Structure formats: C-alpha cells, structure tokens
Amino acid sequence: MGKLDDILSHILGTDKQKFNQVQIDREVIDEIIQIARESYPLEFVALLQGKIEKNILHIYALIFLPGETSSEGAVMEILMLPPMSGAIGSVHSHPGLSNTPSQTDYMMFSKNGLFHMIISEPYDLDSIASYDTFGEKIDFKVI
C-alpha cells in the first residue's frame, strides 16, 4: 500500500508538502534578527519563501506585504500575496522574552503555511523558536 500512497500523493501534488528537515539560509536568519531589533518595541511579520525538495524544506528569502504593527501584534494583507510566490510559512517577532505562540499565532499557523518562526528578545539565533502548522516545535538548520 505504501507504493500506491506515494503514487497518489505525487499525482495529487501532496508529496511536495512532506519534509523531514528544515534548512534556512544564513542571510535570512541575519535579516530576521536585524529587522526584529530595528522594529522593537513593535512586532514585525513577514512570510518565509522556500521550496521542498527531497524532503528538505529550504527557506531562502522573506516576503513582505503591507500591514500594520504594534507592540501587541502584527498583521499583513495576505490577500495581496501574489500567486506562485513560494510562501511556505511565516516569521514574526515578540517584544519580551517569550517566543511561545499565542492563541492568535496558533490560528495563523494553521491557515498560513507549513513552517513558522517566532523571535523574541534579545533577538539572536538562540531566541528563535520554530513550529509546524499545528504549533508543535520543529528544529531547523542554518546553512
């Protein structure tokens, strides 16, 4: 049955949604850290641009959309996202020391992609947490 499932998922395009590793370009991480620091005390939000190949999700850029930010949240105009943009998830900052998702974050995760990141103070690599669509923690590797 496994082979038939693989064939069906390939035909339906759902095989492209499977990954067991996340790799993020160093330049993307550096940009996330810089923007979070510059935005403080306001939150920032962006989409992650990437693709899945050979079960590896590779994130190589950020996508910025018009929106609004405050010290309590950030929203973006998702309807302005061009088709075929390669958006695979999101990243946003939290002022303060917690990179744990809020209830609003969980709702956004479930509707907007496969991989999500939250960066909190002191806005460095160690203060970034990442989550899947269901809000479960997931690891990533910087390349």
Side-chain angles (χ1 to χ4, degrees), residues 3-16:
K3 187 74 168 167
L4 180 58
D5 287 340
D6 290 344
I7 292 169
L8 285 175
S9 68
H10 181 73
I11 291 169
L12 296 173
T14 56
D15 62 330
K16 295 180 177 89

Side-chain angles (χ1 to χ4, degrees), residues 111-143:
K111 296 177 182 178
N112 293 298
L114 304 171
F115 180 77
H116 304 276
M117 303 173 80
I118 299 175
I119 183 170
S120 61
E121 292 180 57
Y123 304 121
D124 58 20
L125 181 59
D126 293 331
S127 67
I128 299 173
S130 52
Y131 304 90
D132 66 14
T133 298
F134 306 103
E136 299 293 324
K137 278 202 164 199
I138 186 172
D139 292 326
F140 64 90
K141 178 180 178 181
V142 179
I143 58 169

Side-chain angles (χ1 to χ4, degrees), residues 58-130:
H58 175 215
I59 296 170
Y60 50 82
L62 298 176
I63 301 170
F64 295 93
L65 296 175
E68 296 180 26
T69 64
S70 74
S71 60
E72 296 180 15
V75 295
M76 61 187 146
E77 299 291 333
I78 282 290
L79 295 177
M80 297 192 73
L81 183 66
M84 309 302 287
S85 66
I88 200 84
S90 68
V91 60
H92 73 278
S93 63
H94 279 178
L97 300 174
S98 175
N99 55 21
T100 301
S102 67
Q103 289 296 23
T104 303
D105 293 337
Y106 286 120
M107 286 177 33
M108 186 196 53
F109 293 173
S110 68
K111 296 177 182 178
N112 293 298
L114 304 171
F115 180 77
H116 304 276
M117 303 173 80
I118 299 175
I119 183 170
S120 61
E121 292 180 57
Y123 304 121
D124 58 20
L125 181 59
D126 293 331
S127 67
I128 299 173
S130 52

Side-chain angles (χ1 to χ4, degrees), residues 8-62:
L8 285 175
S9 68
H10 181 73
I11 291 169
L12 296 173
T14 56
D15 62 330
K16 295 180 177 89
Q17 302 297 307
K18 295 178 185 175
F19 62 92
N20 54 26
Q21 184 180 26
V22 179
Q23 296 179 349
I24 305 174
D25 289 353
R26 166 60 67 185
E27 294 82 13
V28 173
I29 293 294
D30 292 345
E31 188 174 11
I32 289 168
I33 291 168
Q34 178 184 352
I35 293 169
R37 288 177 178 169
E38 290 174 1
S39 298
Y40 178 82
L42 304 179
E43 289 192 15
F44 94 91
V45 64
L47 296 175
L48 300 168
Q49 187 175 36
K51 61 184 173 182
I52 299 172
E53 291 183 339
K54 298 180 182 173
N55 293 330
I56 297 173
L57 170 57
H58 175 215
I59 296 170
Y60 50 82
L62 298 176

